[in-house]
Every structure is written in C-alpha cells, then in structure tokens.
Amino acid sequence: MRTVDTQEARERLEASLADLDRSIATLTPRVGESEHHGTPGDADAGLDLADNARAAALLEVATEQRRQVVEALRRIEDGTYGLCVICGEPLPEGRLEARPEAARCMACQAKAESH
Ligand SMILES: [Zn+2]
C-alpha cells in the first residue's frame, strides 16, 4: 500500500482552512454594522449591489471549499486520506498535490459532475 505523506497534506489543509476562515469572515456581511458606508448621494449604489452579489458567490465557493478541507482533515484522522471516497482507489499523487482536499478520483469526479 502506497503511503501518503499526510503530515504535509495536513499542514497544507490547515493552512487553507485558515485562509478560508479569513475569506469567509471578510465576505460574511457583518450583522449590526452600519450599512451606510458611502457618503450620501454617492452614485455607487448599483456597484455595491454587484459587489454584494459577487461577495455572496465567493462566500458560497469558500464555504463549500472549507467543507471539503474539513472532510479531508477528517480522512487524515480516519486513515483514509488519499483514497477516493467513492471507489476507494488511491488518488493520483498529482491530484493531491494540486488539490489536497480532493475526495474523488478523476473518474468518480467526472461522474459526480455530470449529474
Ligand atoms: Zn473513484
């Protein structure tokens, strides 16, 4: 059985978790904070709306990615890290290098995305 360097993977995952937490904190609208940032009469209202929509989309992506990172860290604890969660085959090393949080092999990922 091929051994995966989980120590390095864990460090990378924990670093991305910290990054994602920072992004999510930045993107999450702050409750209770004044919503009136601009000076009155500012012509930026439309731009702000577009910015809000983009921030919401980014927040969604970051939240989903954070979930995958948390799951990958859990697989390290379980000793199943580096195996496809669908078929159980070891993930190609290059795939884990590109995406340490990858959960599926290319074939299963392609199937999941075609649904
Ligand atoms: Zn698979």
Side-chain angles (χ1 to χ4, degrees):
M1 189 172 148
R2 180 172 60 93
T3 50
V4 177
D5 186 354
T6 52
Q7 180 57 38
E8 197 195 327
R10 186 197 297 266
E11 280 168 16
R12 288 184 61 192
L13 287 164
E14 279 170 354
S16 22
L17 191 62
D19 274 354
L20 287 165
D21 278 341
R22 261 197 304 276
S23 309
I24 288 169
T26 309
L27 292 166
T28 304
R30 287 171 195 75
V31 182
E33 200 174 275
S34 169
E35 285 177 18
H36 302 284
H37 296 296
T39 39
D42 229 345
D44 282 347
L47 204 86
D48 278 349
L49 265 179
D51 279 352
N52 284 345
R54 197 172 50 205
L58 287 173
L59 180 61
E60 204 169 301
V61 170
T63 305
E64 170 62 17
Q65 204 176 348
R66 185 185 187 281
R67 195 180 60 78
Q68 290 177 14
V69 169
V70 168
E71 280 179 10
L73 283 165
R74 193 180 308 144
R75 287 195 300 278
I76 290 178
E77 299 299 327
D78 289 349
T80 59
Y81 180 76
L83 303 178
C84 173
V85 296
I86 307 292
C87 68
E89 289 293 317
L91 299 184
E93 209 155 321
R95 181 154 173 75
L96 286 172
E97 256 163 50
R99 289 191 55 202
E101 75 278 20
R104 302 184 187 98
C105 66
M106 297 301 248
C108 292
Q109 182 68 34
K111 263 183 238 167
E113 279 171 4
S114 70
H115 281 182

